[in-house]
Amino acid sequence: KERIVSMNILSTNSLTKYYGSGPSLVKALDGVTLEIEQGSFTAIVGTSGSGKSTLLHMLGGLDTPTSGSVCVDGQELSSMEPNELAIFRRRKIGFIFQNYNLIPSLSVYDNIVLPVELDGRTVDQLYLNEITDTLGLSDKLNRKPNKLSGGQQQRVAIARALAAKPAIILADEPTGNLDSHTSQEVVGLLKATGRQFHQTIVMITHNDEIAQTADRAIRIEDGRIAESRW
């Protein structure tokens, strides 16, 4: 597969996350060192409990490591104050979750623009129109999330993640609640928007078919990288 860029936008060095102590010590991450290129689409695969979600949370600054470091776009996350990290995360990273995390009382449009408004910024309407057109949501902006199918709600979640123009999209099992056809469609859209808006995508999936469509697949086992293939 063609890879144009080689600058690393995400990296970890000897990353660990331990829970408990003594005989009950759990090593959720056990010395993970990796680099992710800007503009690439990386799939992280592994069984339940392998550490893949913990890794994604670390990359996004949602959790702090026991030891080691996480660097995002040249910034070492552990060097930031909590408030500084929250702002950095909001501007630099878009999150997509398996359960959509949409606010039921808000319209589709208000759900999408929420991160931008929380940041006190003005919505770029032309950019937003482009996102909603690409994702097939233009005629659904006034609806409430409960009036949409699962696939449509996941598209709203993708649009919300893209709205703040983040450099990085972190997706945690974004197709976990979707059927096979809708899953392929959602991943296809995610890849298309990633290319279109020059974003780096890191996606957790237990679906090997989806992982094979990525530029790179990283397999996690027992908190360690077991395999990394292009």
Side-chain angles (χ1 to χ4, degrees):
K1 290 168 188 170
E2 188 183 5
R3 286 158 55 214
I4 299 161
V5 283
S6 57
M7 191 185 121
N8 295 320
I9 192 166
L10 279 172
S11 63
T12 69
N13 187 31
S14 303
L15 194 64
T16 70
K17 182 65 176 182
Y18 297 165
Y19 298 99
S21 60
S24 59
L25 178 71
V26 175
K27 297 181 176 182
L29 290 179
D30 191 20
V32 171
T33 297
L34 68 86
E35 295 177 335
I36 292 173
E37 291 181 0
Q38 186 173 0
S40 65
F41 174 31
T42 301
I44 298 176
V45 294
T47 56
S48 181
S50 59
K52 58 189 190 301
S53 286
T54 305
L55 176 58
L56 197 80
H57 290 167
M58 295 289 172
L59 292 175
L62 296 174
D63 201 353
T64 51
T66 303
S67 65
S69 62
V70 179
C71 197
V72 178
D73 203 14
Q75 290 266 11
E76 165 65 65
L77 296 191
S78 63
S79 69
M80 296 188 203
E81 296 295 322
N83 198 37
E84 191 187 356
L85 176 59
I87 292 168
F88 178 82
R89 196 169 53 219
R90 200 161 58 218
R91 293 180 178 173
K92 191 67 69 175
I93 302 168
F95 294 94
I96 303 169
F97 300 100
Q98 181 176 345
N99 296 322
Y100 322 135
N101 288 7
L102 302 175
I103 298 171
S105 58
L106 295 181
S107 68
V108 165
Y109 177 85
D110 288 335
N111 266 287
I112 292 170
V113 301
L114 189 63
V116 182
E117 292 181 338
L118 283 174
D119 205 29
R121 289 186 285 163
T122 304
V123 175
D124 181 339
Q125 207 59 54
L126 282 175
Y127 172 71
L128 193 73
N129 291 347
E130 196 175 349
I131 292 170
T132 53
D133 280 350
T134 300
L135 292 168
L137 294 170
S138 301
D139 60 342
K140 297 173 179 65
L141 296 178
N142 295 320
R143 294 190 196 174
K144 294 284 170 59
N146 65 358
K147 300 293 183 192
L148 303 179
S149 68
Q152 289 167 339
Q153 288 186 60
Q154 192 57 287
R155 291 185 199 193
V156 176
I158 292 170
R160 179 184 57 194
L162 293 170
K165 301 182 181 176
I168 299 158
I169 298 288
L170 299 180
D172 192 352
E173 294 276 13
T175 63
N177 289 329
L178 306 175
D179 63 53
S180 177
H181 174 73
T182 312
S183 293
Q184 296 290 350
E185 193 177 68
V186 164
V187 171
L189 287 167
L190 200 51
K191 287 176 72 176
T193 53
R195 280 194 301 269
Q196 192 171 344
F197 304 116
H198 312 295
Q199 282 148 335
T200 304
I201 299 169
V202 181
M203 182 178 72
I204 283 178
T205 181
H206 60 270
N207 186 323
D208 276 334
E209 261 182 68
I210 287 172
Q212 284 169 16
T213 69
D215 301 321
R216 179 187 184 192
I218 296 171
R219 185 171 295 280
I220 302 279
E221 287 175 15
D222 301 323
R224 291 171 172 264
I225 293 177
E227 181 188 12
S228 177
R229 64 178 189 269
W230 295 98

